[in-house]
Amino acid sequence: MQRVVLLLLIGIVDLTMCQHNSQFHWLSHLRGRRRHASWQADQVDCPLECDCPTTYFTAMYCHNRNLQHVPYVPSRIKYVYLQHNRITGIQDGVFDNATNLVWVVLFNNQLNSDKIGNNVFSKLKNLDRLLLDHNELTHVPPNLPKSITDLRLGHNKISKILPKSFEGMANLTSLQLQANVIEDVRGVFKGLKSLTLLDMRKNKLRKIPDNLPERLQQLYLEFNSIESVPEGFLTLCPALQYVRLAHNKLTDKGLPSNVFNISTLTELDLSFNKLEKIPVVSRNLENLYLQANKIKEFSLSSFCSAIDMTTFSRLRVLRLDANEISARDIPAEAAYCLRRVASIDV
């Protein structure tokens, strides 16, 4: 009997001592974090499934843990890494305790649109980067914060983008939607005033998206089913420098004259299409890719309107291989017009 009383007293003493410490004391013990007597609360509020190194006070690393849900996120955390897990859904309120989150990294999971709450991200007013690529999403999550600058939704199963999906996101600079099954976007990018990069490779687009933002600099549309380029396309996007339209269904009929003759353009990729002529391009263009088309003649006027010592193209890379021309089709005057090209692949 005396032994039982003694054990009870010891238990009460331990319980009393624990009450003076953090409520996460038991979790700290399980994780083996209590290395010294002077442990701090910020070292023990980290969930069991993750690591929160003291050297990176605001970061929580939960990647490659075979997780099926988003764990508790302490209020001090600004960067949470949850990639390469098996998370299928996120309920509303999961991030409500950590409204100062700046980065949420969730790529390479199994996220399903039907299992993501409508307001999961809505309270994250400081969110800068949201990485949701390589999941099972069928549409863009609703009520995304207007603070986001980098949004990655590539390699999902998105087929349609609702008109208000990006409403009010004036800070968004990079939007990645590659490798989905999108057929039409119907002007959803119109209000994205800061957007400089739009990646829509490997979708099912039949035309170039309309109402593209004026500040757009990089447009990637490879591996679609685009048959034509609209009149004045680059005039409406005066900042565009890189346009990639490789692996589409472009024909000469689908290219208005001078549509690519814009001085801001630096790189143009039209390879793997059905073009029979070299389109007219600006003398400021530096890289032109036309390989694997059906081009039958080398037209020097496509690069220089006049041939003299003062008028020449700034082109450095020109690829014409896998077409229906050979080196002998290149006129001698090309040495003047294309004097900056190191070599021409034919």
Side-chain angles (χ1 to χ4, degrees), residues 43 54 84 100 107 111 134 143 162 173 187 191 230 232 235 237 250 298:
Q43 294 173 282
T54 55
H84 293 288
N100 289 321
F107 63 82
L111 289 173
H134 293 276
N143 301 313
L162 299 176
T173 59
T235 305
C237 302
L250 292 173
F298 188 97

Side-chain angles (χ1 to χ4, degrees), residues 151 182 302 329:
L151 178 59
I182 302 169
S302 297
D329 296 313

Side-chain angles (χ1 to χ4, degrees), residues 283 304 308-314 336-340:
R283 285 189 294 149
C304 299
D308 56 47
M309 294 300 294
T310 59
T311 304
F312 59 91
S313 170
R314 291 181 172 83
Y336 295 102
C337 172
L338 302 174
R339 66 183 67 176
R340 292 193 175 184

Side-chain angles (χ1 to χ4, degrees), residues 195-262:
L195 194 68
T196 59
L197 185 151
L198 176 60
D199 190 344
M200 295 197 71
R201 292 171 293 153
K202 297 184 178 180
N203 275 283
K204 294 186 176 182
L205 297 174
R206 299 183 66 86
K207 64 178 184 177
I208 292 177
D210 54 6
N211 293 308
L212 292 173
E214 291 187 3
R215 294 186 182 180
L216 194 65
Q217 297 177 10
Q218 302 174 59
L219 179 61
Y220 304 138
L221 296 170
E222 304 103 303
F223 294 95
N224 279 284
S225 299
I226 298 171
E227 298 178 353
S228 63
V229 177
E231 185 83 41
F233 157 57
L234 288 174
T235 305
L236 298 173
C237 302
L240 266 177
Q241 299 179 37
Y242 303 91
V243 175
R244 296 178 182 171
L245 283 160
H247 294 275
N248 276 282
K249 298 180 180 180
L250 292 173
T251 63
D252 295 334
K253 184 179 179 180
L255 299 185
S257 59
N258 291 307
V259 69
F260 296 122
N261 192 5
I262 302 297

Side-chain angles (χ1 to χ4, degrees), residues 79-320:
Y79 308 92
V80 60
Y81 300 90
L82 292 157
Q83 68 270 29
H84 293 288
N85 281 294
R86 295 194 297 139
I87 301 170
T88 58
I90 312 173
Q91 296 181 349
D92 283 332
V94 167
F95 298 119
D96 285 3
N97 186 59
T99 54
N100 289 321
L101 280 171
V102 177
W103 288 13
V104 175
V105 182
L106 277 159
F107 63 82
N108 279 106
N109 275 281
Q110 299 171 16
L111 289 173
N112 187 308
S113 290
D114 295 333
K115 297 181 180 180
I116 296 180
N118 289 334
N119 294 295
V120 165
F121 305 107
S122 62
K123 295 182 181 180
L124 306 181
K125 304 301 182 183
N126 298 313
L127 192 62
D128 182 61
R129 290 187 176 183
L130 179 58
L131 279 55
L132 298 171
D133 38 327
H134 293 276
N135 277 285
E136 303 291 326
L137 299 177
T138 53
H139 59 258
V140 179
N143 301 313
L144 293 176
K146 295 177 174 59
S147 57
I148 295 178
T149 66
D150 185 358
L151 178 59
R152 304 185 189 184
L153 293 162
H155 299 272
N156 277 282
K157 297 179 180 178
I158 299 171
S159 59
K160 185 178 181 181
I161 302 178
L162 299 176
K164 295 185 178 181
S165 294
F166 307 117
E167 188 176 34
M169 299 182 70
N171 294 318
L172 191 63
T173 59
S174 176
L175 177 57
Q176 298 187 23
L177 289 162
Q178 72 274 21
N180 279 283
V181 287
I182 302 169
E183 295 184 13
D184 192 9
V185 288
R186 298 183 182 274
V188 296
F189 308 125
K190 186 176 181 180
L192 304 181
K193 299 179 180 180
S194 300
L195 194 68
T196 59
L197 185 151
L198 176 60
D199 190 344
M200 295 197 71
R201 292 171 293 153
K202 297 184 178 180
N203 275 283
K204 294 186 176 182
L205 297 174
R206 299 183 66 86
K207 64 178 184 177
I208 292 177
D210 54 6
N211 293 308
L212 292 173
E214 291 187 3
R215 294 186 182 180
L216 194 65
Q217 297 177 10
Q218 302 174 59
L219 179 61
Y220 304 138
L221 296 170
E222 304 103 303
F223 294 95
N224 279 284
S225 299
I226 298 171
E227 298 178 353
S228 63
V229 177
E231 185 83 41
F233 157 57
L234 288 174
T235 305
L236 298 173
C237 302
L240 266 177
Q241 299 179 37
Y242 303 91
V243 175
R244 296 178 182 171
L245 283 160
H247 294 275
N248 276 282
K249 298 180 180 180
L250 292 173
T251 63
D252 295 334
K253 184 179 179 180
L255 299 185
S257 59
N258 291 307
V259 69
F260 296 122
N261 192 5
I262 302 297
S263 61
T264 56
L265 203 59
T266 299
E267 179 175 295
L268 177 61
D269 189 351
L270 299 172
S271 60
F272 295 90
N273 278 284
K274 299 178 180 180
L275 302 177
E276 296 183 17
K277 298 178 181 179
I278 299 174
V280 176
V281 295
S282 168
R283 285 189 294 149
N284 291 326
L285 191 70
E286 295 182 6
N287 304 301
L288 178 59
Y289 303 96
L290 288 165
Q291 69 269 25
N293 275 278
K294 298 180 179 181
I295 296 172
K296 300 176 181 179
E297 61 176 318
F298 188 97
S299 51
L300 204 54
S301 59
S302 297
F303 309 101
C304 299
S305 56
I307 308 298
D308 56 47
M309 294 300 294
T310 59
T311 304
F312 59 91
S313 170
R314 291 181 172 83
L315 206 63
R316 295 181 180 276
V317 176
L318 175 58
R319 288 197 58 180
L320 287 162

Side-chain angles (χ1 to χ4, degrees), residues 28-47:
S28 172
H29 178 74
L30 285 176
R31 290 184 56 83
R33 289 185 186 158
R34 191 177 181 184
R35 307 298 186 204
H36 308 286
S38 60
W39 56 277
Q40 299 176 350
D42 59 86
Q43 294 173 282
V44 297
D45 63 353
C46 190

